[in-house]
Amino acid sequence: MIPAAAESRDILRRLGVPDSAFAAAGLATRSPIDGSAGPILAEADPAALDAAVARSVAAFQAWKRVPAPRRGELVRLLGEELRAAKADLARLVTLEAGKIVSEGLGEVQEMIDICDFAVGLSRQLYGLTLASERPGHHMRETWQPLGPVGVISAFNFPVAVWAWNACLALVCGDPVIWKPSEKTPLTALATHAILDRALARFGDAPDGLSQVVVGGRETGERLAADPRIPLVSATGSTRMGKAVAQAVAARLGRSLLELGGNNAMIITPSADLDMAVRAIAFSAVGTCGQRCTSLRRLLVHESIADALIARLNTAYQTLPVGDPREEGVLVGPLIDDAAAHGFEIALLQAVEQGGEVVVGGDRFDGDGVYVRPAIVRMPAQSAVVRHETFAPILYVLTWSDFDEAVEMQNAVPQGLSSCVFTDSVREAEQFLSAWGSDCGIANVNIGPSGAEIGGAFGGEKDTGGGRESGSDAWKAYMRRQTQTVNFSRELPLAQGVKFDV
């Protein structure tokens, strides 16, 4: 195959990324597939970022006056353009993030799906009619556009997370400034070139409605600290999220955080093990273990642990690892050498803390960053298990009582996704009860990874508490306003207060 970076350049040209995006010096790009060097991108310095925010503020003054269904028309056109460019954009996701082909296609399909959701939402930004205690008065609650939204996205879903935020923000009346991960900026530029075609067809959108700012940590910090941006949506590590939250809170802004996950699957004696093995394999090694919803902890009843581990050992030994462009490959590369180092250090720590590596754990020689997914049997939920390592390591622990299993599931700092495999209605309902899983996502007989856009996505505790995508997540991008209208000729006060002058 041709070098991944060369293929990326061809796709960028086809999608219409302008030459002005590239520079002689700036942010260097590379593909994790083979380490080939891609184009160098111009970075946004403080002056350029300030100008981008100013354009976004000006765009808001015009965009909030556009009727919401008309705003939805822009997102509908974006969905059409994404359908036309799906193959190219998905291929770029594979080349830049290292996802296998079907996962790259799935990520772009997720963008298309959220476009469809947001178009319908543009006619359903519902408020409430409230009963007033005062005669001749009408109360209602409405939702108004909020203002420019800063989106800081991570490398593992380089385009879908932007779409979750941008599609909702745009129909809600908000401009968007996108700071993509410095590890995957090419997909952001390609997405924006696709959006530019939708904007051209739309015809009268204000300048600066959606912008990309390329840069590293400092760019994200400046974006988070800017008081002209009322909402910052950040996806990434808990460390990053805490820094963003503090910067935004210091100016009394809003932050929407989707951070780390340390997701568990509970396997009970009644579970369908054939189905569970398939779910474990995808959840633990899909995207090379680099999803925030990846399966990290497998909590198995002691009576079936040996049998299940033996089956997983066999499955792991046959996992095809390699260039994600090749047919049949299921596990692509880690994003970079730092990720591989984290993988190796975590395995060493697991062994030091009493763990036994059952299978995997080695790194492949050659170009690219490839490792063999590992299973580690642990005697207890030690420090390394409680820490999220963004790599394909599955820790296996056993339990004897279902209450103990749920307690183990909840006994980590993160609270994103969780699941149980059982044929017992009682166990399933307990897992979903108020005293069951403490995560934002709880599944029965399905893995923790692979959420649909219709539900609100996010979690609790160190996961940040934010919600993106479906359900009523749109409310984060708007401001609530309670309105009271007096249509009488009297002026009664609430609570019976008398104040006659």
Side-chain angles (χ1 to χ4, degrees):
M1 290 190 179
I2 66 172
E7 191 177 351
S8 296
R9 288 188 184 92
D10 290 341
I11 293 174
L12 291 170
R13 293 188 191 98
R14 283 203 301 272
L15 291 177
V17 175
D19 291 340
S20 60
F22 310 131
L27 180 66
T29 62
R30 56 170 294 280
S31 173
I33 292 176
D34 55 13
S36 55
I40 297 173
L41 305 184
E43 295 188 77
D45 60 19
L49 181 60
D50 180 74
V53 175
R55 284 192 296 271
S56 193
V57 170
F60 177 58
Q61 300 307 313
W63 192 241
K64 66 182 178 181
R65 296 173 181 268
V66 176
R70 173 65 177 155
R71 300 193 296 250
E73 171 64 6
L74 172 59
V75 177
R76 188 189 70 79
L77 294 171
L78 172 60
E80 287 188 355
E81 295 296 339
L82 285 169
R83 285 176 170 88
K86 180 178 178 179
D88 273 342
L89 184 57
R91 186 70 168 187
L92 194 59
V93 169
T94 290
L95 295 166
E96 188 173 41
K99 291 189 173 186
I100 63 173
V101 171
S102 67
E103 286 191 288
L105 289 167
E107 180 163 356
V108 180
Q109 184 60 49
E110 197 166 345
M111 301 174 77
I112 294 167
D113 292 344
I114 198 67
C115 283
D116 290 348
F117 178 90
V119 172
L121 175 66
S122 69
R123 295 181 181 270
Q124 299 178 77
L125 300 173
Y126 297 137
L128 294 173
T129 299
L130 309 172
S132 173
E133 67 185 62
R134 290 168 285 183
H137 284 60
H138 181 138
M139 291 182 66
R140 61 194 179 200
E141 180 181 270
T142 62
W143 294 88
Q144 309 283 20
L146 180 64
V149 174
V151 177
I152 301 173
S153 61
F155 76 86
N156 59 332
F157 278 83
V159 290
V161 169
W162 171 83
W164 289 357
N165 285 275
C167 292
L168 299 191
L170 289 172
V171 300
C172 289
D174 305 329
V176 176
I177 302 175
W178 182 14
K179 206 294 281 184
S181 168
E182 56 270 34
K183 298 178 182 181
T184 51
L186 299 179
T187 44
L189 297 179
T191 298
H192 231 252
I194 294 167
L195 175 60
D196 283 343
R197 290 200 282 275
L199 287 164
R201 292 174 61 193
F202 184 79
D204 58 352
D207 178 56
L209 183 60
S210 183
Q211 301 172 83
V212 173
V213 290
V214 173
R217 178 176 177 175
E218 297 78 9
T219 303
E221 290 174 344
R222 289 194 293 268
L223 196 64
D226 197 308
R228 295 170 292 178
I229 301 175
L231 172 66
V232 176
S233 175
T235 301
S237 69
T238 297
R239 177 203 57 76
M240 180 275 291
K242 287 181 177 179
V244 168
Q246 292 174 25
V248 176
R251 58 180 177 81
L252 299 181
R254 298 187 199 175
S255 57
L256 194 166
L257 304 175
E258 199 286 285
L259 310 175
N262 195 347
N263 315 295
M265 178 188 294
I266 296 174
I267 305 288
T268 71
S270 68
D272 181 331
L273 293 188
D274 290 334
M275 191 163 62
V277 167
R278 289 164 51 207
I280 292 164
F282 170 70
S283 300
V285 308
T287 322
C288 200
Q290 298 171 116
R291 291 181 175 221
C292 52
T293 53
S294 289
L295 179 62
R296 312 286 181 202
R297 298 175 294 137
L298 187 62
L299 314 180
V300 190
H301 189 270
E302 58 190 11
S303 67
I304 59 172
D306 290 342
L308 180 58
I309 290 173
R311 294 181 64 169
L312 289 172
N313 190 342
T314 300
Y316 267 54
Q317 288 184 22
T318 61
L319 280 172
V321 179
D323 189 323
R325 296 172 290 178
E326 294 181 2
E327 186 175 354
V329 167
L330 295 179
V331 185
L334 288 169
I335 191 64
D336 55 22
D337 286 324
H341 180 68
F343 174 77
E344 293 163 348
I345 292 297
L347 289 174
L348 289 173
Q349 291 175 342
V351 172
E352 290 171 355
Q353 294 168 25
E356 175 195 357
V357 179
V358 176
V359 64
D362 51 313
R363 180 172 176 178
F364 293 85
D365 293 330
D367 297 330
V369 187
Y370 296 91
V371 299
R372 191 170 300 282
I375 297 176
V376 185
R377 192 160 186 173
M378 297 295 295
Q381 200 151 247
S382 62
V384 72
V385 179
R386 288 167 50 82
H387 173 76
E388 180 195 28
T389 299
F390 222 56
I393 301 175
L394 180 63
Y395 300 109
V396 182
L397 301 99
T398 59
W399 53 272
S400 58
D401 177 77
F402 189 73
D403 287 339
E404 175 193 3
V406 174
E407 184 178 345
M408 289 171 65
Q409 136 71 36
N410 293 342
V412 294
Q414 309 84 359
L416 178 52
S417 191
S418 59
C419 60
V420 63
F421 271 73
T422 180
D423 278 351
S424 165
V425 172
R426 185 170 287 112
E427 288 173 341
E429 291 297 334
Q430 180 179 338
F431 183 76
L432 300 175
S433 70
W435 55 95
S437 169
D438 65 357
C439 294
I441 299 169
N443 299 331
V444 176
N445 293 331
I446 187 173
S449 193
E452 300 178 28
I453 60 93
F457 183 90
E460 304 303 322
K461 303 188 294 188
D462 275 6
T463 302
R467 293 298 186 275
E468 296 173 314
S469 192
S471 185
D472 66 347
W474 60 271
K475 292 180 179 179
Y477 305 86
M478 305 197 83
R479 59 181 177 86
R480 188 194 308 252
Q481 186 174 75
T482 301
Q483 302 172 343
T484 305
V485 177
N486 179 4
F487 59 91
S488 75
R489 296 192 179 278
E490 306 296 329
L491 193 64
L493 300 177
Q495 295 86 46
V497 172
K498 300 294 184 182
F499 197 88
D500 297 325
V501 292

